[in-house]
């Protein structure tokens, strides 16, 4: 075993372990992010001095997002996508790690003299974790979130006008009623709810699902953000109207110079809209690269299984039963398996039993396999 | 000639609400042969679940079947009284996996007890015999039979859905209706459940009616596909007809909106507008307000035309 470990260390040097880029092109980077939620202990657990258990929702995640790109975070339910997104907006306590964000010139000047804010790079990335809540407001305007559920995320007792006015209120945008009205009307036009007057005084329940999602988008964009974290923005909608909302999001991105972090479990969709994608499994990124390449030719055994599992509108499919190249079920993020956290489900180990010892003991690093393509798997990493 | 299993003719199921009559199923016809599987697709609210509830006669109030015939194995089951229907058809002849059923399992009973109950009621098994059979059913759906003593909260979503499938198969009915059996599940678990349904279909020779808003999922199992819009079937045919040669503008729109995993990336299309209000549907073709081919003629209801053998479409473009 010792011999094995030494070998790993030596050989690993020739391969590049993933590190987020921190140039001025990068609007946001996340480095070794961990978000662990403590589980509640019962009285008996406390009396018996059982150790506190943690849900390891995000467990060492690194990635960078280029200005103007669509960066997708994908993976199955519970893998930590939303928690990663929330941590960027300071909506969940971060256990460990760095979130570096490159603010606008204006915001940078605003917070320039505040003590304790950590500047991470020459280019001006600030450590979002180091910014006290009371100074976070300008960042809340620049980084917006589109929530997973368009049905639950709008207050049913407020009109569309009131819903869109709220962020303007909070951030003191628009000096007069007229000015605010104009901003809201323009925003409704931008999300194609026209004429705006016809929609402003309606309540959310008077809109279709697609129209409601446009309001959610309008609310996210009304403060002129730079970065939008869109959490499954179309998964609650009928497939038949998804493309319309996506097209709208892409048009607005171009028009307003936005950057999207696009959270989705739908890989086929990600292939259409994302520039790059990170595949997450149980709180970790297992594969990262150009979206089309990752989805059309996945490397990691988990990504392969995910792609295989996607149904296709092809009438031949009913004649074949194809066993999925994956075993068992997703384990609980409270008891993350040792070594490669995918090992209990990995079919590669059946064909390559000689890898098993390593896979069970040591976590594979996320290494560059070819230009811009990173995989965390001992099949690819030098051992 | 294959044997007829289910024939639905002119079926109408309406909800009599305070705000008016919701015509959720409004003149539906289709034929299913023994061992054949049917997929029913369409947007949310088009009447898929109501059609399924009608077939097993469990339409919730204020809904009522107000017209048509449902022939199952040669009998018009709408003419049976409730007692007869329950004794001879529901569960024994036609069972259903309800939308969201995996979350409706009773939390205070073990899954073994819940499966066994069906066998005790319908087959007069003793508790012991029933539990033994429940274990076999669990094994059939890929769950360790020793888990008959587990409670629903001890199982993952995928396992709960398997339990629900085992319950639907308990009496080995020739027809199982599965209403969105995988919606709440992840793609890997979904694929495993679809594989299970495929295997059961093959091994037991049962017919499955799979209801889903997802045409990709339906392709995994359906020999025949019906496209529903606003309470009506607008196109029906073999899987090959529907996926390779879709004719109705709505079907074409649905297929064009699905992102694909391989091949050239063409712009996705979408269907503009919203589905009709079924308490006040537009006159004539219900799809007309959203159809790019709509013309004067479409103010009249289009007839169902057989444009090739076994491929029917209801649209004036072909009539
Ligand atoms: N506040 C919290 N307290 C405890 N556990 C949490 C909390 N928030 C999330 N978790 C857990 O963290 C894990 C990751 O959750 P998260 O919502 O980030 O997943 P996700 O990838 O967005 O999933 P989905 O696709 O279902 O939205 C899950 O196991 C979840 O139960
Ligand atoms: N109990 C009810 N009372 C009144 N209207 C109802 C009732 N149940 C359903 N409806 C209406 O009947 C129509 C068809 O509903 P149904 O549930 O059959 O649609 P569906 O195609 O199954 O939709 P989904 O894909 O969302 O499950 C809808 O317009 C719905 O609002
Ligand atoms: S590291 Fe080992 S267990 Fe993990 S995915 Fe690769 S081969 Fe499978
Ligand atoms: S009948 Fe007319 S409106 Fe209806 S689908 Fe055909 S062309 Fe379109
Ligand atoms: Mg989420
Ligand atoms: Mg339904």
């Amino acid at each position: 075993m010792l011999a094995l470990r030494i070998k790993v260390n030596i050989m690993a040097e020739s391969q590049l372990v993933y590190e987020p880029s921190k140039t001025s092109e990068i609007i946001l980077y996340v480095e070794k992010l961990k978000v662990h939620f403590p589980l509640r202990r019962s009285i008996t657990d406390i009396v018996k001095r059982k150790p506190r258990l943690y849900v390891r929702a995000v467990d060492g995640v690194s990635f960078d997002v280029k200005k103007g790109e669509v960066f997708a975070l994908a993976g199955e339910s519970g893998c930590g996508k939303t928690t990663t997104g929330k941590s960027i907006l300071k909506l969940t306590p971060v256990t460990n790690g760095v979130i570096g964000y490159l603010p606008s010139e204006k915001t940078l000047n605003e917070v320039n003299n505040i003590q304790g804010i950590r500047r991470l790079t020459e280019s001006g990335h600030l450590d979002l974790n180091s910014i006290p809540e009371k100074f976070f407001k300008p960042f809340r305007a620049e980084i917006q979130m589109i929530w997973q559920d368009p049905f639950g995320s709008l207050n049913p007792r407020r009109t569309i006008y009131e819903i869109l006015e709220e962020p303007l209120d909070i951030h003191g945008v628009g000096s007069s009623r007229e000015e605010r009205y104009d901003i809201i009307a323009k925003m409704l036009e931008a999300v194609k709810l026209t004429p705006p007057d016809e929609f402003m005084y309606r309540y959310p329940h008077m809109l279709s699902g697609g129209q409601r999602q446009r309001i959610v988008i309008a609310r996210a964009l009304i403060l002129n953000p730079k970065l939008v974290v869109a959490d499954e923005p179309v998964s609650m909608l009928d497939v038949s109207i998804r493309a319309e909302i996506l097209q709208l999001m892409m048009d607005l991105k171009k028009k307003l110079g936005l950057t999207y972090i696009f959270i989705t479990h739908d890989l086929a969709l990600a292939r259409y809209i994302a520039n790059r994608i990170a595949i997450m499994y149980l709180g970790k990124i297992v594969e990262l690269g150009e979206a089309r390449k990752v989805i059309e030719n996945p490397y990691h055994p988990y990504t392969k299984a995910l792609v295989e599992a996607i149904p296709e509108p092809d009438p031949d499919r009913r004649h074949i039963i194809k066993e999925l190249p994956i075993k068992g079920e997703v384990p609980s993020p409270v008891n993350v398996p040792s070594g490669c956290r995918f090992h209990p489900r990995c079919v590669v180990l059946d064909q390559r039993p000689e890898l098993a010892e390593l896979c069970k003991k040591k976590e594979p690093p996320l290494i560059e396999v070819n230009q811009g393509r990173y995989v965390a798997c001992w099949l690819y990493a030098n051992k | 000639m294959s044997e007829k299993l289910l024939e639905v003719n002119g079926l109408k199921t309406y909800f009599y609400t305070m705000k008016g009559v919701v015509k959720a199923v409004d003149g539906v016809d289709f034929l299913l042969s023994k061992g054949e599987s049917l997929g029913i697709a369409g947007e949310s609210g088009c009447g898929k679940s109501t059609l399924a509830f009608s077939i097993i006669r469990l339409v919730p109030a204020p809904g009522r079947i107000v017209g048509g015939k449902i022939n199952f194995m040669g009998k018009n089951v709408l003419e049976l009284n409730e007692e007869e229907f329950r004794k001879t058809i529901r569960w024994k002849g036609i069972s259903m996996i309800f939308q969201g059923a995996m979350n409706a399992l009773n939390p205070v009973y073990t899954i073994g007890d819940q499966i066994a109950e069906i066998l005790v009621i319908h087959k007069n098994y003793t508790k012991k015999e029933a539990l033994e059979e429940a274990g076999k059913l669990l094994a059939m759906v890929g769950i360790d039979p020793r888990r008959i003593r587990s409670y629903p909260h001890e199982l993952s979503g995928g396992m709960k859905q398997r339990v629900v499938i085992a319950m639907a198969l308990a009496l080995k009915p020739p027809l199982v209706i599965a209403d969105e059996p995988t919606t709440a599940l992840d793609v890997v678990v979904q694929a495993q459940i679809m594989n299970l349904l495929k295997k059961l279909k093959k091994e037991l020779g049962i017919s499955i009616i799979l209801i889903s808003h997802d045409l990709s999922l339906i392709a995994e199992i359906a020999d025949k596909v019906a496209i529903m819009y606003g309470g009506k079937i607008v196109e029906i045919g073999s899987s090959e007809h529907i996926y390779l040669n879709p004719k109705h503008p709505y079907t074409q729109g649905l297929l064009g909106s699905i992102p694909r995993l391989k091949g050239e990336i063409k712009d996705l299309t979408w269907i503009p507008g919203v589905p009709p209000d079924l308490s006040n549907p537009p006159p004539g073709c219900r799809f007309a307000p959203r159809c790019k081919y709509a013309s004067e003629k479409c103010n009249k209801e289009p007839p169902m035309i057989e444009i090739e053998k076994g491929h029917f479409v209801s649209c004036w473009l072909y009539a």
Side-chain angles (χ1 to χ4, degrees), chain A residues 240 271 317-318 320 329, chain B residues 43 156 198 220 222 260 263:
Chain A
S240 53
R271 178 172 170 261
R317 301 270 293 211
R318 71 183 191 275
I320 24 176
E329 302 192 342
Chain B
E43 287 164 293
S156 68
K198 276 181 177 177
E220 292 287 338
R260 305 292 303 260

Side-chain angles (χ1 to χ4, degrees), chain B residues 238-260:
Chain B
S238 71
S239 262
E240 282 73 16
H241 292 148
I242 300 297
Y243 292 102
L244 307 179
N245 190 22
K247 288 295 186 209
H248 197 282
Y250 180 62
T251 313
Q252 292 169 351
L254 284 181
L255 285 168
S257 64
I258 303 173
R260 305 292 303 260

Side-chain angles (χ1 to χ4, degrees), chain A residues 76-83 145 148 231-232 263:
Chain A
E76 289 177 283
S77 184
C79 70
K81 305 180 296 293
T82 297
T83 307
M145 187 135 177
Q148 204 159 350
D231 192 0
E232 310 264 15
I263 296 175

Side-chain angles (χ1 to χ4, degrees), chain B residues 248-250 284-295 297-302 314-318:
Chain B
H248 197 282
Y250 180 62
C285 173
R286 292 182 176 184
F287 187 57
R290 303 171 76 185
C291 180
K292 60 181 171 194
Y293 305 109
S295 67
K297 262 201 296 206
C298 307
N299 290 325
K300 275 204 348 231
E301 177 140 3
S314 162
C315 167
W316 284 115
L317 290 177
Y318 309 98

